[in-house]
Each structure stands twice: as C-alpha cells, then as structure tokens.
Amino acid sequence: IFRHVDATLPKYMLREFGPKAPFGLIYAINPLFIITLVPIVGLLTKNIASYPMIMYGSFVAGASPFWICIGNYLWAVILFIVTLSVGEAVFSPRVYEYSMKISGEGKEGLYTSLASAPIFAVKLIVGGMSGWLLETFCAETPPPVRNSRA
C-alpha cells in the first residue's frame, strides 16, 4: 500500500480531482501522524508484545484503501491516508523491535535488512500494477460507453 501512495495516488488524484488537487497537503498527513502518534502509541502500548501490535497495525493499514472504494471523493482519500498512517504508527516501530528480539547476538543487521526486504521487493511489482490499475479503473481518457441495445 505504501508504494501505491507514491506510484498510484498522485496520478489518481490528478485524473479524478484535476491539476489543483492538494496532493502535497494530503501526502503531508502521513509524516505528521507518524511523528505525533509513534511516541504516544509506544507509551500507551509499552506493555503489549510486539507481534500483536504488528498484527493490529497491519490490519488497520491494510484496511485503509477501502475508503477509496466508497467513491472518488477527496475526503475518502484523506481518510485513506489517515487510516494508513494510524496503522503505520502502530506497527512500524514494533517491526524493528521484533526483529531485534528474534535476532541472534551479532545478527541484528541481517535481521533488520531482511525485515525491510519486502518493502524493496514490492517496488518491482508496484510500477506495473500501478499502471494497470490506473488504465483499468481510472483511465486518462475513459473508453466510450457501449450501447447495450445494439
């Protein structure tokens, strides 16, 4: 989902809301929420194990695109970014903590890089997927409507 915020969302907003769509402003919600929420969530959940927090945060972040499924509304895009950011604030710091806990002595760097590998690997898929999604569901020039009576 995070790579689609960079690869798909700008073009989607341009096509749906026009050139004056406030992409930068909406994109800025994520760092604002992360900087604000990570310390608060960390303090409030310090007695909860890392793995359940990773699961809870991943579930929230994974549910975030469903706001856009409601329709092409600017408020839905904002709720998508807010929900994604809340989920990220819950799971992201715990991924690193969990990686450190399960790594052996002297293997912390290896485990940290392996925990980050999916983020980089998905970049190979998202470019093509982004183009397909945009052309299929948000084409720059929509196909003509077919006459169902003909």
Side-chain angles (χ1 to χ4, degrees):
I1 296 172
F2 292 105
R3 296 294 59 112
H4 281 290
V5 171
D6 299 329
T8 313
L9 191 61
K11 186 69 78 174
Y12 164 78
M13 289 185 66
L14 178 67
R15 290 180 182 180
E16 291 299 324
F17 307 115
K20 294 192 180 201
F23 175 73
L25 190 61
I26 292 172
Y27 191 81
I29 293 170
N30 180 263
L32 177 67
F33 270 55
I34 297 304
I35 290 169
T36 307
L37 290 179
V38 166
I40 295 168
V41 170
L43 184 64
L44 294 174
T45 62
K46 63 184 176 186
N47 294 326
I48 301 174
S50 294
Y51 189 74
M53 292 301 293
I54 293 169
M55 296 304 291
Y56 300 146
S58 297
F59 177 76
V60 171
S64 63
F66 290 106
W67 287 111
I68 298 176
C69 293
I70 293 171
N72 297 323
Y73 304 107
L74 206 50
W75 60 264
V77 175
I78 293 169
L79 286 174
F80 159 62
I81 295 294
V82 167
T83 307
L84 180 67
S85 301
V86 169
E88 182 184 4
V90 172
F91 83 79
S92 184
R94 297 304 189 100
V95 169
Y96 302 116
E97 179 184 343
Y98 186 72
S99 299
M100 294 302 105
K101 281 185 179 181
I102 64 170
S103 67
E105 183 70 28
K107 295 187 179 182
E108 295 88 354
L110 174 64
Y111 276 71
T112 301
S113 62
L114 288 173
S116 301
I119 296 169
F120 296 108
V122 79
K123 288 182 179 184
L124 300 171
I125 300 167
V126 167
M129 183 186 226
S130 175
W132 178 81
L133 286 169
L134 287 167
E135 279 304 309
T136 304
F137 299 106
C138 186
E140 189 170 9
T141 54
V145 178
R146 295 185 181 171
N147 186 347
S148 59
R149 292 184 227 173

